[in-house]
Amino acid sequence: MSSDGSVPTRWLRGVGAHAEIDEDAFLDGAYILSIGGAQQSHVNLAEPGQVFYEYLRRIANVIDVVRPPGEPLRVLHLGAGALTLVRYVQATRPGSEQTAVELERELLDFVLEHLPLPAGTKCRFVLDDAAAALDGLPAAGFDAIVLDVFAGADAPAHLTEAPFYRRLLELAAPGGVVLVNVGDDPPLAFARRQVRTLAQEAQGIAALGETAMFTGRYPGNLVIAALREPWPADWTDRLLAAGPHPAAVLAGPDLDAFTSGTGG
């Protein structure tokens, strides 16, 4: 909240909409970033280790299992939003080195002005398209890569095709993971296509979501996790236990059935 009690707002020329940051009416120290009237991000400045949105919590759970607890990570964020996951990684793994790519300069400036990062956060910011920003980044340079820039079939085509995903996997360190948030509507044709496309490039792949999402009858978000190595079987058990519940983690034949449209 601004010093005069008003809600901070900023016109985003790139998307042609206003961004605003509201206090969470139910949680002290937490804020909600909205763009064009639609909620986009939730940040708890008082407890940055808390992740409120379900799909982000699932992404955070995968980040938790990539390396031993507390070990600093190298993380690439494609799509910065309110920097919720940047804050989470810093809170749970101090000393991590992060890079956040955001196309909208006004949005990044707005977020950093009103929701500053915790002291000691090591995060480099890149203002660019998610694909163009990959040029010059080190091969095998990241323990986790998070792509969170689109929803459904309106996604920029160049961010949904095999060459882009192949490049992301090249940037993943041994044992590292590429995480893609996919929002979609029934019958989840776009999400199924993205799993198939990533599966062509990855050695190991799984999809995470609320159990009912895999019936294809509901709108929502799925998280695709892809590796250059086979999917670790113990990750499935750990991620199922971590939730949010009811949770599903599909890999192997179960994931094949979902992508072919025969699952659920």
Side-chain angles (χ1 to χ4, degrees):
M1 192 74 69
S2 298
S3 58
D4 62 0
S6 63
V7 174
T9 63
R10 179 76 58 89
W11 175 254
L12 306 179
R13 290 172 292 177
V15 297
H18 279 98
E20 64 178 40
I21 295 174
D22 294 284
E23 292 182 357
D24 187 323
F26 303 100
L27 192 61
D28 289 341
Y31 298 84
I32 298 169
L33 168 68
S34 299
I35 299 177
Q39 294 185 3
Q40 299 290 330
S41 301
H42 183 280
V43 169
N44 189 340
L45 295 185
E47 295 288 344
Q50 179 192 70
V51 178
F52 185 77
Y53 285 174
E54 179 184 294
Y55 84 89
L56 282 179
R57 182 65 256 180
R58 297 189 197 280
I59 290 176
N61 290 342
V62 179
I63 292 174
D64 285 347
V65 303
V66 169
R67 301 286 187 252
E71 181 177 311
L73 298 179
R74 299 160 298 169
V75 184
L76 173 62
H77 306 266
L78 301 173
L83 303 169
T84 304
L85 287 177
V86 172
R87 303 168 200 273
Y88 177 81
V89 171
Q90 170 61 19
T92 58
R93 297 173 179 270
S96 293
E97 297 184 359
Q98 305 188 69
T99 300
V101 176
E102 174 56 53
L103 185 60
E104 299 293 337
R105 175 185 290 273
E106 291 93 346
L107 176 60
L108 183 59
D109 290 346
F110 181 58
V111 167
L112 290 174
E113 177 184 355
H114 295 283
L115 302 172
L117 290 175
T121 303
K122 299 177 183 178
C123 187
R124 182 172 72 97
F125 296 103
V126 178
L127 293 165
D128 208 342
D129 171 80
L134 304 185
D135 293 340
L137 293 179
F142 298 95
D143 301 296
I145 299 167
V146 180
L147 175 64
D148 186 11
V149 298
F150 55 73
D154 293 333
H158 68 290
L159 303 182
T160 67
E161 298 170 348
F164 178 65
Y165 288 141
R166 187 180 311 128
R167 179 69 178 124
L168 293 186
L169 286 161
E170 290 171 351
L171 295 176
V177 63
V178 173
L179 293 155
V180 182
N181 170 45
V182 182
D184 203 5
D185 296 312
L188 307 187
F190 175 73
R192 297 176 204 263
R193 186 167 67 251
Q194 292 311 292
V195 174
R196 291 194 298 267
T197 302
L198 253 170
Q200 294 172 6
E201 308 299 327
Q203 288 295 312
I205 188 166
L208 298 78
E210 196 271 332
T211 303
M213 277 297 297
F214 291 101
T215 67
R217 297 196 295 266
Y218 305 97
N221 294 73
L222 295 178
V223 174
I224 309 171
L227 301 91
R228 295 163 59 185
E229 300 84 15
W231 178 256
D234 67 304
W235 282 21
T236 298
D237 294 336
R238 295 167 69 183
L239 294 170
L240 283 172
H245 301 290
V249 179
L250 270 56
D254 292 336
L255 185 59
D256 292 341
F258 168 72
T259 57
S260 67
T262 62

